[in-house]
Amino acid sequence: EAGVAQSPRYKIIEKRQSVAFWCNPISGHATLYWYQQILGQGPKLLIQFQNNGVVDDSQLPKDRFSAERLKGVDSTLKIQPAKLEDSAVYLCASSLAVATDTQYFGPGTRLTVL
Amino acid sequence: DAKTTQPPSMDCAEGRAANLPCNHSTISGNEYVYWYRQIHSQGPQYIIHGLKNNETNEMASLIITEDRKSSTLILPHATLRDTAVYYCIVRVQGNTPLVFGKGTRLSVIA
């Protein structure tokens, strides 16, 4: 079974530029999460999707971050414009929408904002 | 905020058991204890979870105290590949996000 795929693995941009990350969850997983992990800290939820609907985006900085999950499969996370403090690893995770709710994580995208 | 407290770091000799403690004194009756780990440059990986009974799988054992205010993750024979940050998370079961603390950085030493 293929795992959660993310691309790119690394991205370096200058502040005020825009960037987009892509996630392909495990086939059949209805729930998709985006987490942000700043160096030295645990991951923090940005947004949760159930199929193509948003369940929780309360911690998403909506003035600069946006995310979508068209057709309930792949998802993209965008930052526009980026700030220095957005430097982090962006992790995508997916899970089946059932009681056994193990979350499977992708390898993440490491973003550096200069 | 995370509802758990873990030591920031631990060392373990290769081949010995690694015992990672976690305090969760405010755990509610319907909350489970989950453990994930994150190896360098990888995403977190599920290890095990439990409600009140001790649990064991191919990766580890989870021992939960009777009052459920603390637990211990046991890796019975640690290898160098077990070097990682281990996160103890308390949450209700279901499609809810994981709330991570800073975890315990386990270093397995040859």
Side-chain angles (χ1 to χ4, degrees), chain B residues 43-59:
Chain B
Q45 175 192 24
Y46 167 80
I47 301 173
I48 199 168
H49 76 281
L51 181 63
K52 53 185 177 182
N53 297 322
N54 297 337
E55 303 287 345
T56 295
N57 63 20
E58 65 278 5
M59 290 183 68

mmCIF file with all atom_site columns, all heavy atoms in Angstrom, chain B residues 43-59:
data_model
loop_
_atom_site.group_PDB
_atom_site.id
_atom_site.type_symbol
_atom_site.label_atom_id
_atom_site.label_alt_id
_atom_site.label_comp_id
_atom_site.label_asym_id
_atom_site.label_entity_id
_atom_site.label_seq_id
_atom_site.pdbx_PDB_ins_code
_atom_site.Cartn_x
_atom_site.Cartn_y
_atom_site.Cartn_z
_atom_site.occupancy
_atom_site.B_iso_or_equiv
_atom_site.pdbx_formal_charge
_atom_site.auth_seq_id
_atom_site.auth_comp_id
_atom_site.auth_asym_id
_atom_site.auth_atom_id
_atom_site.pdbx_PDB_model_num
ATOM 1   N N   . GLY B 1 43 ? 7.971   11.952 8.669  1.00 0.00 ? 43 GLY B N   1
ATOM 2   C CA  . GLY B 1 43 ? 6.745   12.315 9.356  1.00 0.00 ? 43 GLY B CA  1
ATOM 3   C C   . GLY B 1 43 ? 6.526   11.415 10.559 1.00 0.00 ? 43 GLY B C   1
ATOM 4   O O   . GLY B 1 43 ? 7.120   10.337 10.662 1.00 0.00 ? 43 GLY B O   1
ATOM 5   N N   . PRO B 1 44 ? 5.687   11.832 11.498 1.00 0.00 ? 44 PRO B N   1
ATOM 6   C CA  . PRO B 1 44 ? 5.383   10.980 12.659 1.00 0.00 ? 44 PRO B CA  1
ATOM 7   C C   . PRO B 1 44 ? 4.791   9.636  12.243 1.00 0.00 ? 44 PRO B C   1
ATOM 8   O O   . PRO B 1 44 ? 4.119   9.530  11.216 1.00 0.00 ? 44 PRO B O   1
ATOM 9   C CB  . PRO B 1 44 ? 4.366   11.811 13.450 1.00 0.00 ? 44 PRO B CB  1
ATOM 10  C CG  . PRO B 1 44 ? 4.659   13.234 13.070 1.00 0.00 ? 44 PRO B CG  1
ATOM 11  C CD  . PRO B 1 44 ? 5.055   13.156 11.626 1.00 0.00 ? 44 PRO B CD  1
ATOM 12  N N   . GLN B 1 45 ? 5.052   8.644  13.071 1.00 0.00 ? 45 GLN B N   1
ATOM 13  C CA  . GLN B 1 45 ? 4.609   7.272  12.814 1.00 0.00 ? 45 GLN B CA  1
ATOM 14  C C   . GLN B 1 45 ? 3.855   6.760  14.026 1.00 0.00 ? 45 GLN B C   1
ATOM 15  O O   . GLN B 1 45 ? 4.346   6.861  15.158 1.00 0.00 ? 45 GLN B O   1
ATOM 16  C CB  . GLN B 1 45 ? 5.828   6.385  12.535 1.00 0.00 ? 45 GLN B CB  1
ATOM 17  C CG  . GLN B 1 45 ? 5.520   4.914  12.374 1.00 0.00 ? 45 GLN B CG  1
ATOM 18  C CD  . GLN B 1 45 ? 6.781   4.059  12.405 1.00 0.00 ? 45 GLN B CD  1
ATOM 19  O OE1 . GLN B 1 45 ? 7.810   4.453  12.959 1.00 0.00 ? 45 GLN B OE1 1
ATOM 20  N NE2 . GLN B 1 45 ? 6.716   2.884  11.813 1.00 0.00 ? 45 GLN B NE2 1
ATOM 21  N N   . TYR B 1 46 ? 2.681   6.206  13.816 1.00 0.00 ? 46 TYR B N   1
ATOM 22  C CA  . TYR B 1 46 ? 1.882   5.641  14.908 1.00 0.00 ? 46 TYR B CA  1
ATOM 23  C C   . TYR B 1 46 ? 2.603   4.442  15.516 1.00 0.00 ? 46 TYR B C   1
ATOM 24  O O   . TYR B 1 46 ? 3.202   3.616  14.803 1.00 0.00 ? 46 TYR B O   1
ATOM 25  C CB  . TYR B 1 46 ? 0.520   5.198  14.366 1.00 0.00 ? 46 TYR B CB  1
ATOM 26  C CG  . TYR B 1 46 ? -0.284  4.325  15.307 1.00 0.00 ? 46 TYR B CG  1
ATOM 27  C CD1 . TYR B 1 46 ? -1.011  4.879  16.356 1.00 0.00 ? 46 TYR B CD1 1
ATOM 28  C CD2 . TYR B 1 46 ? -0.305  2.943  15.143 1.00 0.00 ? 46 TYR B CD2 1
ATOM 29  C CE1 . TYR B 1 46 ? -1.746  4.077  17.212 1.00 0.00 ? 46 TYR B CE1 1
ATOM 30  C CE2 . TYR B 1 46 ? -1.033  2.130  15.996 1.00 0.00 ? 46 TYR B CE2 1
ATOM 31  C CZ  . TYR B 1 46 ? -1.754  2.706  17.031 1.00 0.00 ? 46 TYR B CZ  1
ATOM 32  O OH  . TYR B 1 46 ? -2.474  1.913  17.875 1.00 0.00 ? 46 TYR B OH  1
ATOM 33  N N   . ILE B 1 47 ? 2.553   4.349  16.866 1.00 0.00 ? 47 ILE B N   1
ATOM 34  C CA  . ILE B 1 47 ? 3.143   3.202  17.541 1.00 0.00 ? 47 ILE B CA  1
ATOM 35  C C   . ILE B 1 47 ? 2.068   2.338  18.178 1.00 0.00 ? 47 ILE B C   1
ATOM 36  O O   . ILE B 1 47 ? 1.934   1.147  17.891 1.00 0.00 ? 47 ILE B O   1
ATOM 37  C CB  . ILE B 1 47 ? 4.145   3.643  18.634 1.00 0.00 ? 47 ILE B CB  1
ATOM 38  C CG1 . ILE B 1 47 ? 5.265   4.491  18.043 1.00 0.00 ? 47 ILE B CG1 1
ATOM 39  C CG2 . ILE B 1 47 ? 4.728   2.412  19.339 1.00 0.00 ? 47 ILE B CG2 1
ATOM 40  C CD1 . ILE B 1 47 ? 6.184   5.102  19.093 1.00 0.00 ? 47 ILE B CD1 1
ATOM 41  N N   . ILE B 1 48 ? 1.269   2.934  19.071 1.00 0.00 ? 48 ILE B N   1
ATOM 42  C CA  . ILE B 1 48 ? 0.340   2.160  19.870 1.00 0.00 ? 48 ILE B CA  1
ATOM 43  C C   . ILE B 1 48 ? -0.621  3.111  20.565 1.00 0.00 ? 48 ILE B C   1
ATOM 44  O O   . ILE B 1 48 ? -0.336  4.304  20.681 1.00 0.00 ? 48 ILE B O   1
ATOM 45  C CB  . ILE B 1 48 ? 1.123   1.307  20.909 1.00 0.00 ? 48 ILE B CB  1
ATOM 46  C CG1 . ILE B 1 48 ? 0.284   0.160  21.459 1.00 0.00 ? 48 ILE B CG1 1
ATOM 47  C CG2 . ILE B 1 48 ? 1.683   2.191  22.017 1.00 0.00 ? 48 ILE B CG2 1
ATOM 48  C CD1 . ILE B 1 48 ? 1.119   -0.856 22.248 1.00 0.00 ? 48 ILE B CD1 1
ATOM 49  N N   . HIS B 1 49 ? -1.771  2.608  20.998 1.00 0.00 ? 49 HIS B N   1
ATOM 50  C CA  . HIS B 1 49 ? -2.659  3.403  21.827 1.00 0.00 ? 49 HIS B CA  1
ATOM 51  C C   . HIS B 1 49 ? -3.441  2.501  22.773 1.00 0.00 ? 49 HIS B C   1
ATOM 52  O O   . HIS B 1 49 ? -3.550  1.283  22.548 1.00 0.00 ? 49 HIS B O   1
ATOM 53  C CB  . HIS B 1 49 ? -3.590  4.278  20.988 1.00 0.00 ? 49 HIS B CB  1
ATOM 54  C CG  . HIS B 1 49 ? -4.727  3.543  20.337 1.00 0.00 ? 49 HIS B CG  1
ATOM 55  N ND1 . HIS B 1 49 ? -4.570  2.796  19.182 1.00 0.00 ? 49 HIS B ND1 1
ATOM 56  C CD2 . HIS B 1 49 ? -6.038  3.465  20.659 1.00 0.00 ? 49 HIS B CD2 1
ATOM 57  C CE1 . HIS B 1 49 ? -5.729  2.298  18.818 1.00 0.00 ? 49 HIS B CE1 1
ATOM 58  N NE2 . HIS B 1 49 ? -6.642  2.682  19.697 1.00 0.00 ? 49 HIS B NE2 1
ATOM 59  N N   . GLY B 1 50 ? -3.983  3.096  23.847 1.00 0.00 ? 50 GLY B N   1
ATOM 60  C CA  . GLY B 1 50 ? -4.759  2.330  24.810 1.00 0.00 ? 50 GLY B CA  1
ATOM 61  C C   . GLY B 1 50 ? -5.668  3.219  25.622 1.00 0.00 ? 50 GLY B C   1
ATOM 62  O O   . GLY B 1 50 ? -5.466  4.429  25.700 1.00 0.00 ? 50 GLY B O   1
ATOM 63  N N   . LEU B 1 51 ? -6.656  2.603  26.248 1.00 0.00 ? 51 LEU B N   1
ATOM 64  C CA  . LEU B 1 51 ? -7.599  3.340  27.085 1.00 0.00 ? 51 LEU B CA  1
ATOM 65  C C   . LEU B 1 51 ? -7.267  3.145  28.564 1.00 0.00 ? 51 LEU B C   1
ATOM 66  O O   . LEU B 1 51 ? -7.024  4.110  29.284 1.00 0.00 ? 51 LEU B O   1
ATOM 67  C CB  . LEU B 1 51 ? -9.023  2.870  26.805 1.00 0.00 ? 51 LEU B CB  1
ATOM 68  C CG  . LEU B 1 51 ? -10.127 3.582  27.594 1.00 0.00 ? 51 LEU B CG  1
ATOM 69  C CD1 . LEU B 1 51 ? -10.178 5.068  27.256 1.00 0.00 ? 51 LEU B CD1 1
ATOM 70  C CD2 . LEU B 1 51 ? -11.479 2.928  27.332 1.00 0.00 ? 51 LEU B CD2 1
ATOM 71  N N   . LYS B 1 52 ? -7.273  1.908  29.028 1.00 0.00 ? 52 LYS B N   1
ATOM 72  C CA  . LYS B 1 52 ? -6.939  1.654  30.425 1.00 0.00 ? 52 LYS B CA  1
ATOM 73  C C   . LYS B 1 52 ? -6.202  0.331  30.622 1.00 0.00 ? 52 LYS B C   1
ATOM 74  O O   . LYS B 1 52 ? -5.477  0.176  31.594 1.00 0.00 ? 52 LYS B O   1
ATOM 75  C CB  . LYS B 1 52 ? -8.173  1.687  31.316 1.00 0.00 ? 52 LYS B CB  1
ATOM 76  C CG  . LYS B 1 52 ? -9.311  0.794  30.873 1.00 0.00 ? 52 LYS B CG  1
ATOM 77  C CD  . LYS B 1 52 ? -10.515 1.001  31.777 1.00 0.00 ? 52 LYS B CD  1
ATOM 78  C CE  . LYS B 1 52 ? -11.712 0.178  31.316 1.00 0.00 ? 52 LYS B CE  1
ATOM 79  N NZ  . LYS B 1 52 ? -12.904 0.413  32.178 1.00 0.00 ? 52 LYS B NZ  1
ATOM 80  N N   . ASN B 1 53 ? -6.376  -0.589 29.697 1.00 0.00 ? 53 ASN B N   1
ATOM 81  C CA  . ASN B 1 53 ? -5.653  -1.850 29.802 1.00 0.00 ? 53 ASN B CA  1
ATOM 82  C C   . ASN B 1 53 ? -4.284  -1.724 29.154 1.00 0.00 ? 53 ASN B C   1
ATOM 83  O O   . ASN B 1 53 ? -4.069  -0.903 28.271 1.00 0.00 ? 53 ASN B O   1
ATOM 84  C CB  . ASN B 1 53 ? -6.427  -2.965 29.106 1.00 0.00 ? 53 ASN B CB  1
ATOM 85  C CG  . ASN B 1 53 ? -7.763  -3.217 29.773 1.00 0.00 ? 53 ASN B CG  1
ATOM 86  O OD1 . ASN B 1 53 ? -7.876  -3.152 30.995 1.00 0.00 ? 53 ASN B OD1 1
ATOM 87  N ND2 . ASN B 1 53 ? -8.773  -3.489 28.973 1.00 0.00 ? 53 ASN B ND2 1
ATOM 88  N N   . ASN B 1 54 ? -3.361  -2.527 29.588 1.00 0.00 ? 54 ASN B N   1
ATOM 89  C CA  . ASN B 1 54 ? -2.049  -2.550 28.956 1.00 0.00 ? 54 ASN B CA  1
ATOM 90  C C   . ASN B 1 54 ? -2.192  -3.123 27.548 1.00 0.00 ? 54 ASN B C   1
ATOM 91  O O   . ASN B 1 54 ? -3.014  -4.006 27.300 1.00 0.00 ? 54 ASN B O   1
ATOM 92  C CB  . ASN B 1 54 ? -1.081  -3.388 29.797 1.00 0.00 ? 54 ASN B CB  1
ATOM 93  C CG  . ASN B 1 54 ? -0.866  -2.782 31.165 1.00 0.00 ? 54 ASN B CG  1
ATOM 94  O OD1 . ASN B 1 54 ? -1.059  -1.597 31.363 1.00 0.00 ? 54 ASN B OD1 1
ATOM 95  N ND2 . ASN B 1 54 ? -0.479  -3.606 32.119 1.00 0.00 ? 54 ASN B ND2 1
ATOM 96  N N   . GLU B 1 55 ? -1.424  -2.594 26.632 1.00 0.00 ? 55 GLU B N   1
ATOM 97  C CA  . GLU B 1 55 ? -1.481  -3.011 25.244 1.00 0.00 ? 55 GLU B CA  1
ATOM 98  C C   . GLU B 1 55 ? -0.098  -3.399 24.741 1.00 0.00 ? 55 GLU B C   1
ATOM 99  O O   . GLU B 1 55 ? 0.895   -2.825 25.193 1.00 0.00 ? 55 GLU B O   1
ATOM 100 C CB  . GLU B 1 55 ? -2.037  -1.886 24.355 1.00 0.00 ? 55 GLU B CB  1
ATOM 101 C CG  . GLU B 1 55 ? -3.415  -1.381 24.742 1.00 0.00 ? 55 GLU B CG  1
ATOM 102 C CD  . GLU B 1 55 ? -4.527  -2.351 24.405 1.00 0.00 ? 55 GLU B CD  1
ATOM 103 O OE1 . GLU B 1 55 ? -4.281  -3.297 23.625 1.00 0.00 ? 55 GLU B OE1 1
ATOM 104 O OE2 . GLU B 1 55 ? -5.649  -2.173 24.926 1.00 0.00 ? 55 GLU B OE2 1
ATOM 105 N N   . THR B 1 56 ? -0.073  -4.337 23.816 1.00 0.00 ? 56 THR B N   1
ATOM 106 C CA  . THR B 1 56 ? 1.198   -4.760 23.210 1.00 0.00 ? 56 THR B CA  1
ATOM 107 C C   . THR B 1 56 ? 0.971   -5.002 21.725 1.00 0.00 ? 56 THR B C   1
ATOM 108 O O   . THR B 1 56 ? -0.054  -5.559 21.336 1.00 0.00 ? 56 THR B O   1
ATOM 109 C CB  . THR B 1 56 ? 1.731   -6.044 23.870 1.00 0.00 ? 56 THR B CB  1
ATOM 110 O OG1 . THR B 1 56 ? 2.055   -5.773 25.231 1.00 0.00 ? 56 THR B OG1 1
ATOM 111 C CG2 . THR B 1 56 ? 2.994   -6.525 23.167 1.00 0.00 ? 56 THR B CG2 1
ATOM 112 N N   . ASN B 1 57 ? 1.923   -4.559 20.912 1.00 0.00 ? 57 ASN B N   1
ATOM 113 C CA  . ASN B 1 57 ? 1.912   -4.919 19.500 1.00 0.00 ? 57 ASN B CA  1
ATOM 114 C C   . ASN B 1 57 ? 3.342   -5.236 19.088 1.00 0.00 ? 57 ASN B C   1
ATOM 115 O O   . ASN B 1 57 ? 4.241   -5.371 19.938 1.00 0.00 ? 57 ASN B O   1
ATOM 116 C CB  . ASN B 1 57 ? 1.267   -3.832 18.642 1.00 0.00 ? 57 ASN B CB  1
ATOM 117 C CG  . ASN B 1 57 ? 2.016   -2.511 18.686 1.00 0.00 ? 57 ASN B CG  1
ATOM 118 O OD1 . ASN B 1 57 ? 3.203   -2.456 19.041 1.00 0.00 ? 57 ASN B OD1 1
ATOM 119 N ND2 . ASN B 1 57 ? 1.327   -1.444 18.335 1.00 0.00 ? 57 ASN B ND2 1
ATOM 120 N N   . GLU B 1 58 ? 3.573   -5.358 17.791 1.00 0.00 ? 58 GLU B N   1
ATOM 121 C CA  . GLU B 1 58 ? 4.882   -5.779 17.318 1.00 0.00 ? 58 GLU B CA  1
ATOM 122 C C   . GLU B 1 58 ? 5.959   -4.724 17.549 1.00 0.00 ? 58 GLU B C   1
ATOM 123 O O   . GLU B 1 58 ? 7.136   -5.025 17.481 1.00 0.00 ? 58 GLU B O   1
ATOM 124 C CB  . GLU B 1 58 ? 4.814   -6.137 15.834 1.00 0.00 ? 58 GLU B CB  1
ATOM 125 C CG  . GLU B 1 58 ? 4.491   -4.965 14.914 1.00 0.00 ? 58 GLU B CG  1
ATOM 126 C CD  . GLU B 1 58 ? 3.000   -4.658 14.831 1.00 0.00 ? 58 GLU B CD  1
ATOM 127 O OE1 . GLU B 1 58 ? 2.217   -5.303 15.571 1.00 0.00 ? 58 GLU B OE1 1
ATOM 128 O OE2 . GLU B 1 58 ? 2.642   -3.773 14.046 1.00 0.00 ? 58 GLU B OE2 1
ATOM 129 N N   . MET B 1 59 ? 5.554   -3.502 17.812 1.00 0.00 ? 59 MET B N   1
ATOM 130 C CA  . MET B 1 59 ? 6.530   -2.437 18.006 1.00 0.00 ? 59 MET B CA  1
ATOM 131 C C   . MET B 1 59 ? 6.856   -2.182 19.467 1.00 0.00 ? 59 MET B C   1
ATOM 132 O O   . MET B 1 59 ? 8.010   -1.906 19.817 1.00 0.00 ? 59 MET B O   1
ATOM 133 C CB  . MET B 1 59 ? 6.022   -1.128 17.392 1.00 0.00 ? 59 MET B CB  1
ATOM 134 C CG  . MET B 1 59 ? 5.982   -1.112 15.882 1.00 0.00 ? 59 MET B CG  1
ATOM 135 S SD  . MET B 1 59 ? 5.455   0.489  15.253 1.00 0.00 ? 59 MET B SD  1
ATOM 136 C CE  . MET B 1 59 ? 6.839   1.516  15.722 1.00 0.00 ? 59 MET B CE  1
#
